[in-house]
Amino acid sequence: MKKLTDKEIQIFQEDGYLLIRSLFDQEEIGYLKDQSKRDKALDDHSFSRADREGGKVRLSLWNHAGDNLYGMFARCHRVVDTMEQLLGDEVYHYHSKMILKDPKVGGAWDWHQDYGYWYENGCLYPDMASAFIAVDRATKENGCLQVIGRSHKLGRINHAKNSEQAGADMERVDAALKRLPLIHVEMEPGDCLFFHANLLHRSDQNKSDNPRWSMICCYNTKHNDPYKPSHHPGYTPLQKVEDNMIKQVGSKGEVVSADNWLNPDDDQSVIEK
């Protein structure tokens, strides 16, 4: 994994996100797409959240990055080293999730900040970020991620429950939209968006005929080890793996599911994206 340039780090610091095209090649992302869509446990452990328009989004969420294909993506140098350069410290795996936004029925997510949830888990600083990996093509039509550029500089915004989701204070969001750019992050399979925990983001319903699945790996910094226990882990050193392990594990074709599943009753903070 090549080091980020000073310009790329500056973009993340200024805008709150960095989009890296083709971080994973088509063979790698093909393994992830094939195995995740054959993963019965992933499907069985998924749960739905309704939006305010009557749609529902399915997601599956787990804490530990193991030795399966999901773990290879979450632990590879390509992702973890990039995250450490962007956050300026050693990071550990906070949790991962698969967003299963299905055709015609995939619901919307309200505007929110991840730190709006993670703050409640005992994380003192917003020194956290996520890597959003496109498994399917993400377009405006199938509900791609939307972000408000530079909104991570607003600080933590209050969140309240809307329908079955928790969203950011819309008075603040509306004010931000008048001053800051709204970006629809359209992505090809294998693209990866790194974004700050305070960046405001949402997505529309998927009204198209095409799925929009994505894997999101979330990380916390070592210095931000939570001061109290929660349903997500405290600091544990992350054992990185070489990038070629994705193909080595993926080429076996085995569907080895995640473990340590989280359920919708654990905490409101699982309601994301």
Side-chain angles (χ1 to χ4, degrees), residues 92-247:
Y92 71 95
H93 181 258
Y94 197 51
H95 62 275
S96 287
K97 59 182 77 73
M98 189 72 73
I99 306 299
L100 319 172
K101 187 170 280 198
D102 299 316
K104 299 296 186 182
V105 296
W109 289 111
D110 290 335
W111 283 112
H112 67 278
Q113 302 165 310
D114 290 343
Y115 189 59
Y117 311 139
W118 299 343
Y119 171 88
E120 304 294 341
N121 298 340
C123 298
L124 286 174
Y125 303 99
D127 299 342
M128 312 169 77
S130 297
F132 182 107
I133 303 167
V135 177
D136 294 309
R137 190 164 183 255
T139 66
K140 290 182 181 179
E141 290 71 28
N142 69 4
C144 70
L145 198 68
Q146 300 171 37
V147 304
I148 302 178
R150 304 193 298 276
S151 60
H152 66 304
K153 295 184 177 182
L154 300 175
R156 182 179 64 87
I157 296 173
N158 289 334
H159 286 59
K161 192 169 184 179
N162 300 312
S163 181
E164 293 183 359
Q165 301 181 30
D169 178 358
M170 282 306 300
E171 181 180 356
R172 291 268 175 172
V173 173
D174 289 339
L177 285 167
K178 293 176 182 177
R179 303 186 184 194
L180 299 172
L182 170 64
I183 299 98
H184 287 76
V185 187
E186 296 191 297
M187 303 170 69
E188 296 295 329
D191 293 348
C192 186
L193 181 77
F194 294 85
F195 64 96
H196 190 277
N198 264 341
L199 187 74
L200 282 163
H201 55 288
R202 71 173 301 276
S203 62
D204 283 326
Q205 291 185 350
N206 181 3
K207 297 181 179 179
S208 77
D209 295 324
N210 302 308
R212 198 225 75 182
W213 284 33
S214 52
M215 180 176 170
I216 307 174
C217 305
C218 307
Y219 300 87
N220 191 14
T221 44
K222 179 180 179 180
H223 70 264
N224 198 30
D225 190 22
Y227 67 85
K228 64 180 181 179
S230 77
H231 58 286
H232 291 316
Y235 169 72
T236 303
L238 179 60
Q239 300 299 315
K240 301 178 190 178
V241 298
E242 297 298 326
D243 293 332
N244 62 12
M245 289 300 295
I246 292 175
K247 290 183 179 178

Side-chain angles (χ1 to χ4, degrees), residues 39-55:
D39 187 348
K40 186 177 185 301
L42 184 78
D43 186 63
D44 289 345
H45 285 89
S46 69
F47 55 90
S48 298
R49 282 301 185 214
D51 62 27
R52 287 181 286 185
E53 303 167 47

